[in-house]
Amino acid sequence: MEMITSQLWFDLLGTFVFGISGGMLAVRRELDLFGVMVLSLAAALAGGVLRDVALGDTPPAALRDARYLLAALAAGLCAFAFHRGIERLAKPVMVFDAAGLGLFAVSGCQKALSLGVAPLPAVLLGVLTAVGGGALRDLLVTEVPRVLREDIYALAALAGATVVAVGAWLGLAPAPVALLGVALTFALRVVSVWRGWRAPKAPGS
């Protein structure tokens, strides 16, 4: 029960912060209010929908629970109305994206484990949850999705989801483990951008 409760709140918080990242990217591309809301909804909800469909949990939670849609819409409106203040952050899209990445990697893995999925596929579903919304967001503005670029992205989500799976295997309390997973993913993503870390490329390519 504790894992299910923390998974719901991490899911909702991840929905909001990913929605902010989508809305801010739309504002930067000078889209109108409708465009901002579309990008916010895409970034906020796509990963969770993919996860739920893969788990056979249909209709997806985003279509059963109005809180998901409200969180995504609120994020889009915040980006539209307060983008000047948000832009004062260093790399705001990246920061919110990194936060959403960690929250969704953890909540995706938690949900899979709570439904009886084995640890390894649960970790992969955590990664899918984390990268799905960002990939759709980037495609809608004709960018190569971040998950396909050289910088650390999916690897950060993989690390956070692995922490959750290992914690569940060891029987540790879900909430602290989840916070550690989010923090690890966020730190890896932000530090990789700051330090210019890159994922390995094929030798000679």
Side-chain angles (χ1 to χ4, degrees), residues 19-203:
I20 290 281
S21 78
M24 289 301 297
L25 184 59
V27 169
R28 285 185 174 183
R29 292 301 185 94
E30 300 182 349
L31 303 185
D32 61 13
L33 176 59
F34 180 76
V36 171
M37 300 309 291
V38 167
L39 238 61
S40 181
L41 288 168
L45 302 178
V49 169
L50 287 172
R51 173 200 63 201
D52 290 350
V53 170
L55 289 170
D57 182 23
T58 54
L63 301 181
R64 297 196 311 267
D65 189 335
R67 289 176 292 183
Y68 287 87
L69 185 58
L70 290 173
L73 291 172
L77 290 173
C78 284
F80 185 81
F82 307 117
H83 62 92
R84 291 185 181 88
I86 296 172
E87 280 290 357
R88 295 194 182 100
L89 294 170
K91 298 182 179 293
V93 173
M94 186 276 292
V95 169
F96 281 102
D97 188 66
L101 194 72
L103 289 162
F104 271 179
V106 165
S107 69
C109 185
Q110 283 184 325
K111 182 164 187 176
L113 290 170
S114 71
L115 293 176
V117 176
L120 181 57
V123 168
L124 297 179
L125 281 169
V127 175
L128 175 65
T129 308
V131 305
L136 180 58
R137 172 200 64 205
D138 295 343
L139 288 171
L140 287 172
V141 291
T142 65
E143 285 187 6
V144 177
R146 285 167 172 76
V147 67
L148 301 180
R149 300 181 195 173
E150 294 178 5
D151 53 351
I152 306 299
Y153 194 80
L155 290 177
L158 180 65
T162 300
V163 166
V164 172
V166 171
W169 180 64
L170 293 174
L172 302 177
V177 170
L179 290 172
L180 178 60
V182 172
L184 178 61
T185 301
F186 180 83
L188 282 174
R189 173 66 183 145
V190 171
V191 173
S192 72
V193 174
W194 175 45
R195 302 290 294 177
W197 292 348
R198 295 288 183 266
K201 296 175 66 175

